[in-house]
Every structure is written in C-alpha cells, then in structure tokens.
Amino acid sequence: MSGPELAGLAAEQRRPRVTEIEQHGIDTIPAAERSSGPFDLFRIQFGGANTFATVILGTFPVLLGLSLPQAVAATLLGVVVGALILMPMGLFGPRTGTNNAVSSGAHFGVRGRVVGSFLSLLTAIAFYSISVWVSGDAIVGAATRLFGVADSDLLRGVIYAVLGALVIVVVVYGYQFMLLVNKIVVVGNTVLMLLGIVAYASLFDFGYDPGPDAYALGSFWPTFILSALIVMGNPISFGAFLGDWSRYIPAGTSAPKLLSATFLGQLATLVPFLFGVGTATLVAGEVDYVVALIQVSPIWYAWLLVVVAFLGGMSTGVTSLYGTGLDFSSVFPRLSRVQASLFIGALAFVFILVGRLAFDLLGSVNAFIGAIVICTTPWMIIMMLGYVVRRGHYSAEDVQVFNQGRTGGLYWFSDGVNWRGMVAWIPAAVAGLLFANYPPLIVGPFSASVAGGIDVSLPVSLGLAAVIYLALLFAFPEPRYVFGPQGPRWVPARDGEVPPVTDDPRASTHRAGRRTPTSAGMEK
C-alpha cells in the first residue's frame, strides 16, 4: 500500500463512528482528530438552518405587513448583512481547538468568557424551542387534516416532548451524529422545499401587497428594518456556535476558505427563508402558520411538509443544544457534556411549554431574536477586533485554564477578567436594548424618538462596542505577551510577566487536562 493510501486510511481511522458517543467536552481537539474541513462547516450551517425554524423567521416580514417584493428585499438584506458580520467567527475554532465561548477568554479573560456562555445559552433555548415548536405544530396539523385528530394542548405537549427527546439523543452522541443529520437535511429539505414551487403554483400571488395600513409599526421603514433584523437574527445566532464545529478543522486551514464556507453556508439559507416568505402570503391572517399551510397544501405535499418539519426540527435543535451542552459543562465542571445537555434540554422544554401554550408565540420569538441580535453582535465585534490586533495569535493551552480548575496564564488579566472587553460589551448591549424596537416585549425608551421609529439598535451597539474597545486598547494597553511573537497590530502594548498557572483552591474538579505552569507575574 502506497504512502498516500496509508495516510488516507489513517485519516479515516481517526474519524469516530457516527454511533460512537463523543468523549470531548470543550477541551482542545487534538490535531490527529481534526477530520473535518470547510465544506463540513458549510454543510452544518446550511443543514442547521435549512429547516422550518428558519422558514418561520422568513414569514415575519409578511406577518409584519410587507408586500412580497418588500419582504424579499428585507430577507436578502438581513441574510447578507448577518452573514458578513458572522464570517470571522469561524476563524477561532481551528486556532484554539475549542468553541467560541472558551476562545473568547483570550479577549474577555478566562473567567469573563462566561459572557459567551450566556449568549450561547440564550441562543440555544430560542432556536431549540422554535425547532420543536414548528416541528410539533406541523405534525399536529398533519394529524388534524389527514387523520381527523382533534387539536389540543395535551396533544401538542406530548409531540413536543417526543421531538425534544429525539433531539437530545442525537446531541448525546455528539458531533459526528450531528454532522450526519445535517448532511441529510442539506439535500433532503432543499429538494422538498423546491417542490413547493410545484405544490403552490396555482395558489401563489406574485403581486401580494396588503397595503400601507398593514405595516406593524405604522410605516414602511421601521417595519422593513425590523423585518431585516429578525432575519439577521438567524446568521447572528451562529456566532456563539461556529467554534463548536470549526474546532474539528485543522489549524492550518486558510482563512479565506473558512470565511467563504460561512458566507456561502448562510447565503444558502435563502432557500428556507424565501420558502417562508412565499408561503406566508398564502396563509396571511391565519393565527397558526404551520397548521394553516398544511391545510391549504395539496395532500401529497402535506405529507412532505411533515418530513421537512421533522428533519429540520432535528437539525436546528441539535446544532443549538449541542454547543450549549459543551459550554455549560465547562462553566459547571461537575456536569459532563451529556449531563449538561440533558439539563439544558429539560430547561428549554419547560420554556417551550410555557412560551407556546401560555404566551404569544410571535411575541416570544420576536423578543428572543431581538435579545440575541442586540447582545451577541457587540460581543462578536469585540472578538473580531481582538483577532485583528492579535494577528490571529492564540494559545490553545491558556484559554483552557478556567476549565481545568486553575488560575493564571496568558489570559488571566485581572482575576480572570479582561475588563477592557467587558467594559466595551456591557454598555454596548445596554444601549442596544434602549434603542431596540422588537414589540411587544422589547421596546426601548428611545426606540420611537430616534430615526422616526426605525430600529437603530444594531448600529448603536456595534459602533459603541468598537469605539469603546479600541479606545481602551489605546488608553490601557494589554500586556505584550498576549500578542505573540509578532507583537500587536495597530495598537500599543505594555511590558509584563505571565501570571503562573496554579491550581485554583476554589475549584473542586479538574476535567479538561493539565498543563505546565508558565513564568511568574501578574497583570499590573
């Protein structure tokens, strides 16, 4: 057997079986086990979003009163801008070998990185809940039409529980099983959604326009911007999760390939988004979109919609819950990845029941998407700016210090927190909330008095985070040792010694491995 054949065989042997339960938590993925590539990153993003959860977000521009052309324009704007903001977040995983929340410890401090863990939890609950909601509703709609079963809260609750449990099973098996599910969804759901062109050809109205009186926020531009921001919430939601998957990509993978994989993966989500836009015009005014769509569908396509909803619910739920299970287990080291996933899954299921059966679904989704966009984008811009000034240099060992139950290292800063990143993120997120307009649950006091009621929370939070963070890097330079051998780019640095890595007496469990302490010193 030739050398290349042996190398190929070795690479194949390093890839775990789909039915093998993943053993890694958020510890650094060894080079020998990084068997994925940029195309896998593309597939897992597209597969994770090629679902009814994304379709639901695609219906919002129409539900908010836009015409068909306006809704398409808002969707295109939201997807493209969101993808551009998201692109750099796929660069961290290959360099650090861990997820983005842990990687953020390089800029927020190894303890301050819990900000990323919070954002991951928020996103996971939102999208896991949406995926189970819409998949369950599709099955209920099919049961009521095809079998004459009476709709009820009990029926929905039982179906939600079954779907939620199936998602957790896949999450427990881990990355390889999740990758398989997304490979199926990329092809399967794309074909099934495109068949909708045939199914709804006789019903579709290209001139759909409910008129200006239908605008949810009273006029065109505020409603248009809100619609684009809701759509943008989908790509932005991947910001905390890209590292969960890109950490399995070799460290030497070129940045352009990683950037392209993310941008194209998000651009491909226009398939489910535009499916949502188009089909929303068919059932405009109905309270329950999924059930109503099944009722107006040809009988052959009603069956297919159930398949789309089921596969999509699995895909979105798994990609959301997997990363949070990883991260939660690192914040609470007494819990393994599997235990943490079970806990978060149970918490999210309670939210599903309360949010779907007791409150307004539209308002619940709107509020969570708004919170994700407002809080995650300034965190992302701080990460991106940090990547640029650090020249992409990171220590895979030192970002793991907190997870190991230790203190010190390159990213210890002040008691484990880099206050530069925290001081930039907190006011940016708060300011975004003050200017936000995601009715009915998130309506900031300045949302109606600025820019004619147009939601300017995104430029406010992004701009404020960038300005404050850069100003702090100049006014209070970071230690030279965090920048690596090439030194900082564009910002000053100060001299200092690396804090020694020692066991933290307050930590009772060390699960992620140990490392050799570095030289002595503290940030001054």
Side-chain angles (χ1 to χ4, degrees):
M1 187 174 290
S2 66
E5 290 174 334
L6 285 171
L9 178 60
E12 184 67 23
Q13 289 174 335
R14 286 195 295 267
R15 184 186 288 270
R17 295 188 303 273
V18 170
T19 55
E20 180 181 338
I21 294 179
E22 182 182 8
Q23 299 302 310
H24 289 293
I26 41 71
D27 50 308
T28 305
I29 303 299
E33 297 183 34
R34 298 193 187 189
S35 55
S36 291
F39 188 54
D40 289 320
L41 185 61
F42 165 86
R43 285 190 297 191
I44 206 165
Q45 288 183 75
F46 182 28
N50 195 25
T51 68
F52 246 111
T54 306
V55 169
I56 288 292
L57 296 181
T59 67
F60 271 71
V62 173
L63 295 178
L64 293 173
L66 297 182
S67 68
L68 180 61
Q70 293 167 349
V72 170
T75 301
L76 289 171
L77 178 64
V79 168
V80 171
V81 174
L84 291 172
I85 294 174
L86 175 68
M87 283 169 58
M89 298 306 292
L91 299 175
F92 296 92
R95 292 178 180 267
T96 63
T98 188
N99 68 355
N100 281 355
V102 175
S103 298
S104 72
H107 305 293
F108 288 84
V110 290
R111 284 179 173 163
R113 66 88 171 169
V114 295
V115 168
S117 302
F118 160 75
L119 297 174
S120 173
L121 178 63
L122 182 71
T123 304
I125 290 177
F127 281 85
Y128 173 79
S129 301
I130 293 171
S131 67
V132 174
W133 274 333
V134 297
S135 298
D137 287 353
I139 294 174
V140 169
T144 56
R145 179 179 180 185
L146 303 174
F147 305 114
V149 177
D151 190 357
S152 68
D153 288 346
L154 176 61
L155 175 63
R156 291 183 184 241
V158 170
I159 292 176
Y160 294 157
V162 172
L163 290 171
L166 288 174
V167 168
I168 291 175
V169 168
V170 177
V171 168
V172 166
Y173 275 100
Y175 175 75
Q176 295 298 334
F177 204 151
M178 179 176 65
L179 187 59
L180 174 63
V181 169
N182 281 280
K183 286 177 181 178
I184 296 171
V185 172
V186 163
V187 178
N189 273 8
T190 299
V191 171
L192 294 178
M193 288 184 191
L194 291 178
L195 281 174
I197 298 174
V198 177
Y200 303 123
S202 62
L203 301 175
F204 197 70
D205 178 12
F206 285 95
Y208 173 82
D209 186 354
D213 291 339
Y215 293 138
L217 299 186
S219 58
F220 169 71
W221 281 111
T223 305
F224 180 84
I225 296 299
L226 174 61
S227 300
L229 287 173
I230 291 174
V231 170
M232 190 186 302
N234 195 67
I236 294 299
S237 71
F238 282 85
F241 295 132
L242 281 191
D244 300 343
W245 318 311
S246 65
R247 68 195 183 124
Y248 279 96
I249 297 175
T253 305
S254 71
K257 289 182 179 180
L258 293 168
L259 294 172
S260 298
T262 294
F263 184 77
L264 294 176
Q266 294 301 322
L267 203 63
T269 65
L270 285 171
V271 172
F273 267 119
L274 294 180
F275 180 90
V277 171
T279 54
T281 65
L282 306 179
V283 295
E286 296 291 337
V287 175
D288 197 322
Y289 160 79
V290 178
V291 173
L293 183 62
I294 289 177
Q295 298 301 320
V296 303
S297 299
I299 194 70
W300 63 270
Y301 197 67
W303 283 102
L304 294 181
L305 282 178
V306 176
V307 177
V308 172
F310 176 76
L311 290 177
M314 292 290 292
S315 180
T316 299
V318 167
T319 52
S320 299
L321 195 60
Y322 170 78
T324 301
L326 279 177
D327 206 54
F328 204 73
S329 66
S330 68
V331 177
F332 297 93
R334 291 180 181 273
L335 299 177
S336 67
R337 180 186 69 83
V338 172
Q339 291 170 330
S341 298
L342 291 172
F343 176 79
I344 298 300
L347 182 65
F349 182 69
V350 172
F351 176 77
I352 290 170
L353 293 180
V354 174
R356 182 63 180 88
L357 303 179
F359 292 98
D360 172 53
L361 175 60
L362 184 67
S364 301
V365 172
N366 216 6
F368 262 87
I369 296 300
I372 289 168
V373 171
I374 293 167
C375 295
T376 303
T377 45
W379 177 79
M380 291 166 62
I381 199 66
I382 291 169
M383 291 274 288
M384 295 172 199
L385 290 173
Y387 183 95
V388 171
V389 301
R390 302 268 183 92
R391 302 179 186 271
H393 174 81
Y394 296 93
S395 168
E397 291 181 327
D398 287 274
V399 295
Q400 294 285 352
V401 166
F402 173 75
N403 312 322
Q404 299 167 354
R406 314 187 84 183
T407 65
L410 297 181
Y411 309 124
W412 186 246
F413 297 104
S414 299
D415 200 30
V417 177
N418 186 354
W419 57 269
R420 301 165 187 83
M422 297 294 287
V423 168
W425 177 75
I426 292 172
V430 171
L433 290 171
L434 293 176
F435 285 91
N437 191 13
Y438 289 83
L441 299 181
I442 299 181
V443 180
F446 302 143
S447 60
S449 59
V450 177
I454 297 174
D455 191 313
V456 295
S457 59
L458 183 64
V460 167
S461 59
L462 279 177
L464 195 59
V467 169
I468 294 176
Y469 184 57
L470 289 174
L472 291 174
L473 290 181
F474 277 94
F476 304 96
E478 293 181 318
R480 193 174 306 278
Y481 54 74
V482 303
F483 294 99
Q486 291 184 291
R489 176 188 281 134
W490 303 332
V491 298
R494 62 173 179 78
D495 294 330
E497 294 183 342
V498 183
V501 177
T502 59
D503 287 341
D504 186 349
R506 294 171 289 184
S508 58
T509 307
H510 312 308
R511 297 191 298 100
R514 304 174 72 87
R515 54 157 292 178
T516 303
T518 54
S519 57
M522 290 293 289
E523 182 182 15
K524 300 175 182 177

